Amino acid sequence: MITQIVVDSSGAYAGNHLVVTLKGNNSLISWLTLVQVLPEFLFLMVASQIIRKMGYKKFFLISTIPMAIRMFTYAFIPNPYVFVFISIVHCLGVACSTVASLAYIQDTVSPAVFGTAITLLNAAMSIGKAIYGYLFGAIYQYFGSYNIFLISGIIVVIGVILVATTKRF
């Protein structure tokens, strides 16, 4: 969940980074959206079957590692076309974490509190995005957009380590 919050929050600055910092043309924002959303939509249709075959832990690791690669690419590569191209892994990170979070809740909580669990997940994600969005705004203003993605990449790597070392699922 934390990796999705961080990636979504830093993604709010992606268009600005693409056009202002990387000097890409405005039409690249449309391409960025297409490259992120279309594969995510397609991947959402098969993600639950993949979870069932792989299990949650392996699935989270496989989906989170591309998030880290994407964030570090954003942080270090000054080419707007590479920025758009690497964004295709957005589908792995966000679609996987969305489907996996919902499926994990469905498998682990009582049906009587399923709605409450989903509401709490959405509330936690909204609060997290608001906090990280504010922090990333300050980072953007004082340290530049590259640092938003560098910090995001570091947080995602911490998430990978936490998932890899946990014994809970």
Side-chain angles (χ1 to χ4, degrees), residues 50-63:
I50 296 171
I51 291 172
R52 303 269 184 248
K53 289 180 184 175
M54 298 178 88
Y56 290 106
K57 186 173 185 172
K58 191 182 285 185
F59 188 76
F60 272 122
L61 288 173
I62 289 172
S63 67

Side-chain angles (χ1 to χ4, degrees), residues 97-159:
S97 60
T98 300
V99 171
S101 295
L102 296 174
Y104 188 73
I105 289 171
Q106 184 178 15
D107 288 350
T108 58
V109 302
S110 162
V113 295
F114 180 74
T116 302
I118 297 295
T119 301
L120 290 172
L121 172 68
N122 286 331
M125 292 193 62
S126 294
I127 291 167
K129 288 176 189 177
I131 292 168
Y132 275 102
Y134 177 77
L135 292 173
F136 287 153
I139 291 166
Y140 181 81
Q141 182 176 354
Y142 296 110
F143 303 106
S145 56
Y146 284 108
N147 288 304
I148 292 171
F149 303 115
L150 177 61
I151 291 167
S152 296
I154 291 167
I155 293 170
V156 171
V157 167
I158 291 168

